[in-house]
Amino acid sequence: MGLRLPMPTHPESRTISNPLTHPPRLPLVAPSILAADYARLGEECRSALEAGGDLLHYDVMDGHLVPNLALGVDMLASLKADLPEAFFDVHLMIERPDLFAKPFADAGAGHLTFHIEAIDGDNARALIDTIHDLGMSVGLAIDGPTPIEQADNLLAHVDLVLVMAIRAGFAGQAFDPAALDKIRYVRERVPATTRIEVDGGVGPGQASALLRAGADVLAAASAVFRVSPDQRASVITQLRGLEHQ
Ligand code: DX5
Ligand code: ZN
């Protein structure tokens, strides 16, 4: 991947730096819009960024890999048109993620994470190359019940490892502390430039343990969006580990 010079397919992607590969600071906080008010989604995205969110986590679900439906390609294109400076971290919880790499690149995704449970090893390697060739960074997600060792052969090839601290599918579930051991396992095996994102049940109360374990991107839906907009900056500051409750 080091010698590739990918050409982003979405015009705005060419001008926006990727905070996952070129972080302006660490840790990064990624508000997950799954728990936003969908009737006012553009406004909600803007609120989360103005409150200090570094990038927006965008959950896509197909009702097959996970038992829920969420967000799609056209919604992302509309949000990107409304917020051209926003960086979208797209988390694909779908079967056949290979079919959607180009559509999400064209819609304005800057990063694409797919699930290890959705694809076998050889096809995963090919998909990683495809996503890089489309100009996006690549993440590999490991669902809560999946043993972390299944990711061993792919860790060296991705820009980000997404450790789920819940079973993927819904916002608002309780954080499973088993994620801390998984994060430590990954951090011992990847270079410091590989991001480790944690997703699911993440709130200010978990931040310091997660950061100490080696996570450097915190995705949070309920903690950011199920509080009033004037509380979001404080929540994001606490997630960054600068203040603790
Ligand atoms: C769930 C999604 C998460 C979800 C997290 O499968 O991948 O990104 O939005 O929601 P909270 O932070 O409420 O657990
Ligand atoms: Zn997610």
Side-chain angles (χ1 to χ4, degrees), residues 117-181:
E117 299 84 6
I119 192 163
D120 69 39
D122 286 345
N123 288 325
R125 286 295 302 276
L127 179 55
I128 289 167
D129 288 346
T130 299
I131 295 170
H132 279 145
D133 287 345
L134 288 165
M136 299 177 286
S137 50
V138 184
L140 178 70
I142 297 96
D143 203 1
T146 303
I148 192 67
E149 295 77 10
Q150 284 187 21
D152 282 354
N153 293 335
L154 294 170
L155 293 179
H157 304 285
V158 294
D159 305 289
L160 178 148
V161 179
L162 176 57
V163 174
M164 299 297 300
I166 55 171
R167 184 184 283 264
F170 297 90
Q173 302 180 68
F175 177 83
D176 180 354
L180 293 167
D181 280 340

Short mmCIF file of all heavy atoms in Angstrom, two decimals, residues 117-181:
data_model
loop_
_atom_site.label_atom_id
_atom_site.label_comp_id
_atom_site.label_asym_id
_atom_site.label_seq_id
_atom_site.Cartn_x
_atom_site.Cartn_y
_atom_site.Cartn_z
N GLU A 117 -16.30 -10.51 9.63
CA GLU A 117 -17.31 -11.57 9.58
C GLU A 117 -18.01 -11.63 8.21
O GLU A 117 -18.76 -12.56 7.92
CB GLU A 117 -18.38 -11.35 10.66
CG GLU A 117 -17.85 -11.36 12.09
CD GLU A 117 -17.30 -10.01 12.54
OE1 GLU A 117 -17.43 -9.03 11.79
OE2 GLU A 117 -16.70 -9.97 13.63
N ALA A 118 -17.77 -10.60 7.37
CA ALA A 118 -18.52 -10.50 6.12
C ALA A 118 -17.79 -11.09 4.93
O ALA A 118 -18.38 -11.20 3.84
CB ALA A 118 -18.84 -9.02 5.83
N ILE A 119 -16.51 -11.48 5.11
CA ILE A 119 -15.70 -11.76 3.92
C ILE A 119 -14.55 -12.69 4.31
O ILE A 119 -14.05 -12.61 5.43
CB ILE A 119 -15.21 -10.41 3.35
CG1 ILE A 119 -14.61 -10.53 1.97
CG2 ILE A 119 -14.27 -9.71 4.30
CD1 ILE A 119 -14.50 -9.16 1.27
N ASP A 120 -14.12 -13.58 3.40
CA ASP A 120 -12.99 -14.45 3.76
C ASP A 120 -11.66 -13.75 3.47
O ASP A 120 -11.62 -12.71 2.83
CB ASP A 120 -13.12 -15.82 3.10
CG ASP A 120 -12.92 -15.75 1.60
OD1 ASP A 120 -12.07 -14.98 1.14
OD2 ASP A 120 -13.65 -16.47 0.89
N GLY A 121 -10.57 -14.35 3.96
CA GLY A 121 -9.26 -13.71 3.96
C GLY A 121 -8.78 -13.22 2.61
O GLY A 121 -8.34 -12.08 2.46
N ASP A 122 -8.84 -14.08 1.56
CA ASP A 122 -8.33 -13.66 0.24
C ASP A 122 -9.16 -12.51 -0.31
O ASP A 122 -8.63 -11.55 -0.88
CB ASP A 122 -8.37 -14.83 -0.75
CG ASP A 122 -7.27 -15.83 -0.44
OD1 ASP A 122 -6.34 -15.49 0.33
OD2 ASP A 122 -7.36 -16.96 -0.95
N ASN A 123 -10.46 -12.61 -0.16
CA ASN A 123 -11.31 -11.53 -0.66
C ASN A 123 -11.12 -10.26 0.15
O ASN A 123 -11.24 -9.15 -0.38
CB ASN A 123 -12.78 -11.95 -0.65
CG ASN A 123 -13.07 -12.97 -1.72
OD1 ASN A 123 -12.49 -12.92 -2.81
ND2 ASN A 123 -13.94 -13.92 -1.43
N ALA A 124 -10.81 -10.41 1.45
CA ALA A 124 -10.54 -9.23 2.27
C ALA A 124 -9.30 -8.50 1.76
O ALA A 124 -9.28 -7.27 1.66
CB ALA A 124 -10.37 -9.63 3.74
N ARG A 125 -8.25 -9.26 1.41
CA ARG A 125 -7.03 -8.62 0.88
C ARG A 125 -7.34 -7.86 -0.40
O ARG A 125 -6.87 -6.74 -0.61
CB ARG A 125 -5.94 -9.67 0.64
CG ARG A 125 -5.29 -10.21 1.90
CD ARG A 125 -4.52 -9.13 2.65
NE ARG A 125 -3.48 -8.50 1.83
CZ ARG A 125 -2.25 -8.98 1.65
NH1 ARG A 125 -1.88 -10.07 2.29
NH2 ARG A 125 -1.39 -8.37 0.86
N ALA A 126 -8.12 -8.46 -1.27
CA ALA A 126 -8.47 -7.79 -2.53
C ALA A 126 -9.31 -6.53 -2.25
O ALA A 126 -9.10 -5.48 -2.88
CB ALA A 126 -9.25 -8.75 -3.43
N LEU A 127 -10.21 -6.63 -1.29
CA LEU A 127 -11.05 -5.46 -0.98
C LEU A 127 -10.21 -4.32 -0.38
O LEU A 127 -10.46 -3.15 -0.68
CB LEU A 127 -12.18 -5.88 -0.03
CG LEU A 127 -13.14 -4.77 0.40
CD1 LEU A 127 -13.76 -4.06 -0.81
CD2 LEU A 127 -14.23 -5.33 1.31
N ILE A 128 -9.24 -4.67 0.44
CA ILE A 128 -8.36 -3.63 1.01
C ILE A 128 -7.67 -2.87 -0.13
O ILE A 128 -7.64 -1.63 -0.14
CB ILE A 128 -7.33 -4.28 1.97
CG1 ILE A 128 -8.04 -4.75 3.24
CG2 ILE A 128 -6.20 -3.29 2.30
CD1 ILE A 128 -7.21 -5.68 4.12
N ASP A 129 -7.17 -3.60 -1.13
CA ASP A 129 -6.52 -2.94 -2.27
C ASP A 129 -7.51 -2.07 -3.05
O ASP A 129 -7.20 -0.95 -3.45
CB ASP A 129 -5.91 -3.98 -3.21
CG ASP A 129 -4.67 -4.64 -2.62
OD1 ASP A 129 -4.13 -4.12 -1.61
OD2 ASP A 129 -4.24 -5.67 -3.16
N THR A 130 -8.71 -2.59 -3.24
CA THR A 130 -9.73 -1.82 -3.97
C THR A 130 -10.04 -0.51 -3.26
O THR A 130 -10.11 0.55 -3.89
CB THR A 130 -11.03 -2.65 -4.09
OG1 THR A 130 -10.75 -3.84 -4.81
CG2 THR A 130 -12.14 -1.87 -4.79
N ILE A 131 -10.20 -0.58 -1.94
CA ILE A 131 -10.55 0.63 -1.18
C ILE A 131 -9.40 1.64 -1.24
O ILE A 131 -9.61 2.84 -1.47
CB ILE A 131 -10.92 0.26 0.27
CG1 ILE A 131 -12.19 -0.58 0.30
CG2 ILE A 131 -11.12 1.53 1.11
CD1 ILE A 131 -12.51 -1.19 1.67
N HIS A 132 -8.17 1.15 -1.11
CA HIS A 132 -7.02 2.07 -1.25
C HIS A 132 -6.98 2.68 -2.65
O HIS A 132 -6.74 3.88 -2.82
CB HIS A 132 -5.71 1.32 -0.97
CG HIS A 132 -5.42 1.19 0.49
ND1 HIS A 132 -4.80 0.08 1.04
CD2 HIS A 132 -5.63 2.04 1.54
CE1 HIS A 132 -4.64 0.25 2.34
NE2 HIS A 132 -5.16 1.43 2.68
N ASP A 133 -7.22 1.87 -3.67
CA ASP A 133 -7.18 2.39 -5.04
C ASP A 133 -8.25 3.44 -5.28
O ASP A 133 -8.10 4.30 -6.16
CB ASP A 133 -7.37 1.24 -6.05
CG ASP A 133 -6.13 0.37 -6.15
OD1 ASP A 133 -5.05 0.79 -5.68
OD2 ASP A 133 -6.24 -0.75 -6.70
N LEU A 134 -9.33 3.37 -4.52
CA LEU A 134 -10.40 4.38 -4.64
C LEU A 134 -10.07 5.66 -3.85
O LEU A 134 -10.86 6.59 -3.81
CB LEU A 134 -11.73 3.80 -4.15
CG LEU A 134 -12.36 2.75 -5.09
CD1 LEU A 134 -13.46 1.97 -4.35
CD2 LEU A 134 -12.94 3.43 -6.33
N GLY A 135 -8.91 5.66 -3.18
CA GLY A 135 -8.47 6.88 -2.50
C GLY A 135 -8.92 7.01 -1.06
O GLY A 135 -8.80 8.08 -0.46
N MET A 136 -9.42 5.91 -0.49
CA MET A 136 -9.89 5.94 0.90
C MET A 136 -8.93 5.14 1.78
O MET A 136 -8.23 4.25 1.32
CB MET A 136 -11.29 5.32 1.01
CG MET A 136 -12.35 6.05 0.20
SD MET A 136 -13.98 5.25 0.27
CE MET A 136 -13.71 3.83 -0.78
N SER A 137 -8.91 5.47 3.08
CA SER A 137 -8.24 4.60 4.03
C SER A 137 -9.18 3.43 4.36
O SER A 137 -10.38 3.49 4.12
CB SER A 137 -7.81 5.38 5.28
OG SER A 137 -8.88 6.13 5.81
N VAL A 138 -8.58 2.37 4.94
CA VAL A 138 -9.32 1.12 5.13
C VAL A 138 -9.32 0.71 6.59
O VAL A 138 -8.27 0.74 7.25
CB VAL A 138 -8.67 -0.04 4.35
CG1 VAL A 138 -9.51 -1.32 4.48
CG2 VAL A 138 -8.49 0.31 2.90
N GLY A 139 -10.47 0.28 7.07
CA GLY A 139 -10.57 -0.26 8.41
C GLY A 139 -11.11 -1.69 8.39
O GLY A 139 -11.89 -2.06 7.50
N LEU A 140 -10.68 -2.47 9.38
CA LEU A 140 -11.18 -3.82 9.57
C LEU A 140 -11.91 -3.85 10.91
O LEU A 140 -11.31 -3.53 11.94
CB LEU A 140 -10.01 -4.81 9.58
CG LEU A 140 -10.38 -6.27 9.82
CD1 LEU A 140 -11.12 -6.84 8.61
CD2 LEU A 140 -9.12 -7.10 10.12
N ALA A 141 -13.19 -4.23 10.90
CA ALA A 141 -13.98 -4.28 12.13
C ALA A 141 -14.11 -5.70 12.63
O ALA A 141 -14.27 -6.64 11.84
CB ALA A 141 -15.37 -3.69 11.89
N ILE A 142 -14.04 -5.85 13.95
CA ILE A 142 -14.21 -7.14 14.61
C ILE A 142 -15.38 -7.00 15.57
O ILE A 142 -15.35 -6.20 16.51
CB ILE A 142 -12.93 -7.55 15.37
CG1 ILE A 142 -11.76 -7.74 14.39
CG2 ILE A 142 -13.14 -8.84 16.16
CD1 ILE A 142 -10.87 -6.57 14.24
N ASP A 143 -16.42 -7.77 15.33
CA ASP A 143 -17.63 -7.66 16.15
C ASP A 143 -17.39 -8.21 17.57
O ASP A 143 -16.47 -9.00 17.79
CB ASP A 143 -18.78 -8.41 15.47
CG ASP A 143 -20.14 -7.89 15.93
OD1 ASP A 143 -20.19 -6.94 16.75
OD2 ASP A 143 -21.17 -8.43 15.47
N GLY A 144 -18.23 -7.80 18.49
CA GLY A 144 -18.06 -8.18 19.89
C GLY A 144 -17.81 -9.66 20.12
O GLY A 144 -16.85 -10.03 20.81
N PRO A 145 -18.64 -10.56 19.56
CA PRO A 145 -18.45 -11.99 19.86
C PRO A 145 -17.28 -12.63 19.12
O PRO A 145 -16.93 -13.77 19.41
CB PRO A 145 -19.77 -12.61 19.36
CG PRO A 145 -20.71 -11.49 19.15
CD PRO A 145 -19.89 -10.28 18.84
N THR A 146 -16.67 -11.96 18.16
CA THR A 146 -15.64 -12.58 17.31
C THR A 146 -14.28 -12.55 17.99
O THR A 146 -13.84 -11.48 18.44
CB THR A 146 -15.56 -11.83 15.96
OG1 THR A 146 -16.84 -11.85 15.35
CG2 THR A 146 -14.53 -12.47 15.04
N PRO A 147 -13.58 -13.69 18.06
CA PRO A 147 -12.23 -13.69 18.65
C PRO A 147 -11.29 -12.79 17.86
O PRO A 147 -11.26 -12.84 16.63
CB PRO A 147 -11.80 -15.16 18.55
CG PRO A 147 -13.06 -15.94 18.37
CD PRO A 147 -14.01 -15.04 17.65
N ILE A 148 -10.51 -12.01 18.57
CA ILE A 148 -9.64 -11.02 17.92
C ILE A 148 -8.56 -11.70 17.07
O ILE A 148 -8.11 -11.14 16.06
CB ILE A 148 -9.02 -10.07 18.97
CG1 ILE A 148 -8.36 -8.87 18.30
CG2 ILE A 148 -8.07 -10.80 19.90
CD1 ILE A 148 -9.29 -7.93 17.61
N GLU A 149 -8.18 -12.93 17.43
CA GLU A 149 -7.13 -13.63 16.68
C GLU A 149 -7.50 -13.82 15.21
O GLU A 149 -6.63 -13.96 14.36
CB GLU A 149 -6.84 -15.00 17.30
CG GLU A 149 -6.25 -14.96 18.70
CD GLU A 149 -7.27 -14.66 19.79
OE1 GLU A 149 -8.50 -14.67 19.50
OE2 GLU A 149 -6.86 -14.41 20.94
N GLN A 150 -8.78 -13.79 14.90
CA GLN A 150 -9.19 -13.95 13.50
C GLN A 150 -8.68 -12.83 12.62
O GLN A 150 -8.63 -12.95 11.40
CB GLN A 150 -10.72 -14.03 13.41
CG GLN A 150 -11.26 -15.37 13.86
CD GLN A 150 -12.75 -15.51 13.61
OE1 GLN A 150 -13.33 -14.81 12.79
NE2 GLN A 150 -13.39 -16.41 14.34
N ALA A 151 -8.28 -11.73 13.24
CA ALA A 151 -7.81 -10.58 12.46
C ALA A 151 -6.31 -10.63 12.19
O ALA A 151 -5.79 -9.82 11.41
CB ALA A 151 -8.16 -9.28 13.19
N ASP A 152 -5.60 -11.59 12.80
CA ASP A 152 -4.13 -11.59 12.77
C ASP A 152 -3.53 -11.32 11.40
O ASP A 152 -2.64 -10.49 11.25
CB ASP A 152 -3.58 -12.93 13.29
CG ASP A 152 -3.62 -13.02 14.82
OD1 ASP A 152 -3.97 -12.01 15.46
OD2 ASP A 152 -3.33 -14.11 15.34
N ASN A 153 -3.99 -12.05 10.38
CA ASN A 153 -3.36 -11.96 9.06
C ASN A 153 -3.69 -10.69 8.30
O ASN A 153 -3.09 -10.41 7.26
CB ASN A 153 -3.76 -13.16 8.19
CG ASN A 153 -3.19 -14.45 8.75
OD1 ASN A 153 -2.17 -14.42 9.45
ND2 ASN A 153 -3.85 -15.56 8.48
N LEU A 154 -4.61 -9.92 8.81
CA LEU A 154 -5.01 -8.70 8.09
C LEU A 154 -4.52 -7.43 8.76
O LEU A 154 -4.54 -6.35 8.15
CB LEU A 154 -6.54 -8.66 7.94
CG LEU A 154 -7.12 -9.76 7.04
CD1 LEU A 154 -8.64 -9.79 7.14
CD2 LEU A 154 -6.70 -9.54 5.57
N LEU A 155 -4.07 -7.55 10.01
CA LEU A 155 -3.72 -6.34 10.77
C LEU A 155 -2.68 -5.47 10.06
O LEU A 155 -2.75 -4.24 10.11
CB LEU A 155 -3.18 -6.71 12.16
CG LEU A 155 -4.15 -7.36 13.14
CD1 LEU A 155 -3.45 -7.68 14.44
CD2 LEU A 155 -5.37 -6.47 13.38
N ALA A 156 -1.74 -6.10 9.39
CA ALA A 156 -0.65 -5.34 8.77
C ALA A 156 -1.10 -4.58 7.53
O ALA A 156 -0.35 -3.74 7.02
CB ALA A 156 0.49 -6.29 8.40
N HIS A 157 -2.28 -4.86 7.04
CA HIS A 157 -2.67 -4.32 5.74
C HIS A 157 -3.70 -3.20 5.82
O HIS A 157 -4.08 -2.64 4.80
CB HIS A 157 -3.21 -5.46 4.87
CG HIS A 157 -2.22 -6.58 4.71
ND1 HIS A 157 -1.12 -6.47 3.90
CD2 HIS A 157 -2.13 -7.78 5.33
CE1 HIS A 157 -0.40 -7.58 4.00
NE2 HIS A 157 -0.99 -8.38 4.86
N VAL A 158 -4.16 -2.91 7.01
CA VAL A 158 -5.21 -1.89 7.14
C VAL A 158 -4.69 -0.65 7.87
O VAL A 158 -3.68 -0.71 8.58
CB VAL A 158 -6.47 -2.45 7.86
CG1 VAL A 158 -7.13 -3.54 7.01
CG2 VAL A 158 -6.12 -2.98 9.25
N ASP A 159 -5.39 0.45 7.68
CA ASP A 159 -5.01 1.71 8.34
C ASP A 159 -5.64 1.82 9.72
O ASP A 159 -5.19 2.61 10.55
CB ASP A 159 -5.51 2.89 7.49
CG ASP A 159 -5.01 2.81 6.06
OD1 ASP A 159 -3.81 3.02 5.85
OD2 ASP A 159 -5.82 2.51 5.16
N LEU A 160 -6.70 1.04 9.95
CA LEU A 160 -7.46 1.17 11.19
C LEU A 160 -8.07 -0.18 11.55
O LEU A 160 -8.52 -0.92 10.67
CB LEU A 160 -8.56 2.22 10.97
CG LEU A 160 -9.54 2.53 12.09
CD1 LEU A 160 -9.97 4.00 12.02
CD2 LEU A 160 -10.79 1.66 12.02
N VAL A 161 -8.08 -0.49 12.83
CA VAL A 161 -8.78 -1.67 13.33
C VAL A 161 -9.91 -1.16 14.21
O VAL A 161 -9.68 -0.35 15.12
CB VAL A 161 -7.84 -2.59 14.13
CG1 VAL A 161 -8.59 -3.80 14.66
CG2 VAL A 161 -6.64 -3.01 13.26
N LEU A 162 -11.13 -1.59 13.90
CA LEU A 162 -12.31 -1.15 14.66
C LEU A 162 -12.73 -2.26 15.61
O LEU A 162 -13.18 -3.33 15.17
CB LEU A 162 -13.46 -0.81 13.70
CG LEU A 162 -14.79 -0.42 14.31
CD1 LEU A 162 -14.64 0.77 15.25
CD2 LEU A 162 -15.82 -0.10 13.26
N VAL A 163 -12.54 -2.04 16.88
CA VAL A 163 -12.92 -3.03 17.90
C VAL A 163 -14.31 -2.67 18.40
O VAL A 163 -14.53 -1.58 18.97
CB VAL A 163 -11.90 -3.02 19.05
CG1 VAL A 163 -12.36 -3.95 20.18
CG2 VAL A 163 -10.51 -3.45 18.55
N MET A 164 -15.25 -3.58 18.19
CA MET A 164 -16.61 -3.36 18.67
C MET A 164 -16.70 -3.76 20.14
O MET A 164 -16.27 -4.85 20.52
CB MET A 164 -17.63 -4.20 17.88
CG MET A 164 -17.72 -3.93 16.39
SD MET A 164 -18.24 -2.26 15.96
CE MET A 164 -19.87 -2.18 16.71
N ALA A 165 -17.28 -2.88 20.94
CA ALA A 165 -17.46 -3.18 22.37
C ALA A 165 -18.90 -3.57 22.66
O ALA A 165 -19.35 -3.54 23.82
CB ALA A 165 -17.05 -1.97 23.20
N ILE A 166 -19.61 -3.94 21.61
CA ILE A 166 -20.99 -4.42 21.67
C ILE A 166 -21.14 -5.44 20.55
O ILE A 166 -20.22 -5.62 19.75
CB ILE A 166 -22.03 -3.29 21.43
CG1 ILE A 166 -21.73 -2.58 20.10
CG2 ILE A 166 -22.08 -2.32 22.60
CD1 ILE A 166 -22.78 -1.60 19.65
N ARG A 167 -22.31 -6.05 20.44
CA ARG A 167 -22.65 -6.78 19.22
C ARG A 167 -23.22 -5.75 18.25
O ARG A 167 -24.16 -5.02 18.60
CB ARG A 167 -23.68 -7.87 19.53
CG ARG A 167 -24.02 -8.75 18.35
CD ARG A 167 -25.11 -9.73 18.72
NE ARG A 167 -24.61 -10.83 19.51
CZ ARG A 167 -24.24 -12.02 19.01
NH1 ARG A 167 -24.35 -12.25 17.72
NH2 ARG A 167 -23.79 -12.98 19.79
N ALA A 168 -22.65 -5.65 17.06
CA ALA A 168 -23.03 -4.59 16.12
C ALA A 168 -24.51 -4.64 15.78
O ALA A 168 -25.09 -5.72 15.66
CB ALA A 168 -22.19 -4.72 14.85
N GLY A 169 -25.12 -3.49 15.64
CA GLY A 169 -26.51 -3.44 15.18
C GLY A 169 -27.35 -2.29 15.72
O GLY A 169 -28.25 -1.83 15.04
N PHE A 170 -27.04 -1.85 16.94
CA PHE A 170 -27.89 -0.83 17.54
C PHE A 170 -27.05 0.12 18.40
O PHE A 170 -26.10 -0.32 19.06
CB PHE A 170 -28.97 -1.45 18.42
CG PHE A 170 -29.91 -2.33 17.66
CD1 PHE A 170 -29.64 -3.69 17.50
CD2 PHE A 170 -31.05 -1.80 17.07
CE1 PHE A 170 -30.49 -4.50 16.77
CE2 PHE A 170 -31.92 -2.61 16.33
CZ PHE A 170 -31.63 -3.97 16.17
N ALA A 171 -27.47 1.39 18.43
CA ALA A 171 -26.90 2.34 19.38
C ALA A 171 -27.53 2.08 20.75
O ALA A 171 -28.56 1.42 20.87
CB ALA A 171 -27.19 3.77 18.93
N GLY A 172 -26.88 2.58 21.79
CA GLY A 172 -27.48 2.56 23.11
C GLY A 172 -27.25 1.30 23.92
O GLY A 172 -27.86 1.11 24.97
N GLN A 173 -26.39 0.39 23.46
CA GLN A 173 -26.10 -0.83 24.23
C GLN A 173 -24.99 -0.56 25.24
O GLN A 173 -24.25 0.41 25.14
CB GLN A 173 -25.65 -1.95 23.28
CG GLN A 173 -26.65 -2.29 22.19
CD GLN A 173 -26.12 -3.42 21.30
OE1 GLN A 173 -25.99 -4.56 21.72
NE2 GLN A 173 -25.82 -3.08 20.05
N ALA A 174 -24.89 -1.48 26.21
CA ALA A 174 -23.87 -1.31 27.26
C ALA A 174 -22.49 -1.73 26.75
O ALA A 174 -22.35 -2.71 26.02
CB ALA A 174 -24.24 -2.16 28.47
N PHE A 175 -21.49 -0.98 27.16
CA PHE A 175 -20.08 -1.25 26.84
C PHE A 175 -19.65 -2.58 27.45
O PHE A 175 -19.88 -2.83 28.63
CB PHE A 175 -19.24 -0.10 27.41
CG PHE A 175 -17.76 -0.28 27.22
CD1 PHE A 175 -17.16 0.07 26.02
CD2 PHE A 175 -16.97 -0.78 28.25
CE1 PHE A 175 -15.79 -0.08 25.85
CE2 PHE A 175 -15.60 -0.94 28.08
CZ PHE A 175 -15.01 -0.59 26.88
N ASP A 176 -18.99 -3.43 26.64
CA ASP A 176 -18.44 -4.70 27.14
C ASP A 176 -16.95 -4.53 27.40
O ASP A 176 -16.17 -4.34 26.45
CB ASP A 176 -18.69 -5.81 26.11
CG ASP A 176 -18.13 -7.15 26.58
OD1 ASP A 176 -17.46 -7.21 27.63
OD2 ASP A 176 -18.37 -8.15 25.87
N PRO A 177 -16.51 -4.63 28.67
CA PRO A 177 -15.09 -4.41 28.97
C PRO A 177 -14.14 -5.40 28.31
O PRO A 177 -12.93 -5.16 28.27
CB PRO A 177 -15.02 -4.54 30.50
CG PRO A 177 -16.41 -4.63 30.99
CD PRO A 177 -17.32 -4.90 29.84
N ALA A 178 -14.68 -6.50 27.75
CA ALA A 178 -13.81 -7.44 27.01
C ALA A 178 -13.11 -6.73 25.86
O ALA A 178 -12.06 -7.18 25.38
CB ALA A 178 -14.64 -8.61 26.49
N ALA A 179 -13.67 -5.61 25.40
CA ALA A 179 -13.03 -4.85 24.31
C ALA A 179 -11.65 -4.34 24.72
O ALA A 179 -10.77 -4.18 23.87
CB ALA A 179 -13.92 -3.67 23.90
N LEU A 180 -11.44 -4.11 26.01
CA LEU A 180 -10.14 -3.57 26.45
C LEU A 180 -9.01 -4.55 26.15
O LEU A 180 -7.94 -4.15 25.68
CB LEU A 180 -10.18 -3.24 27.95
CG LEU A 180 -11.12 -2.09 28.32
CD1 LEU A 180 -11.33 -2.05 29.83
CD2 LEU A 180 -10.57 -0.75 27.82
N ASP A 181 -9.24 -5.84 26.39
CA ASP A 181 -8.20 -6.83 26.08
C ASP A 181 -7.97 -6.92 24.58
O ASP A 181 -6.84 -7.11 24.13
CB ASP A 181 -8.62 -8.21 26.61
CG ASP A 181 -8.35 -8.35 28.10
OD1 ASP A 181 -7.53 -7.56 28.63
OD2 ASP A 181 -8.97 -9.22 28.74
#
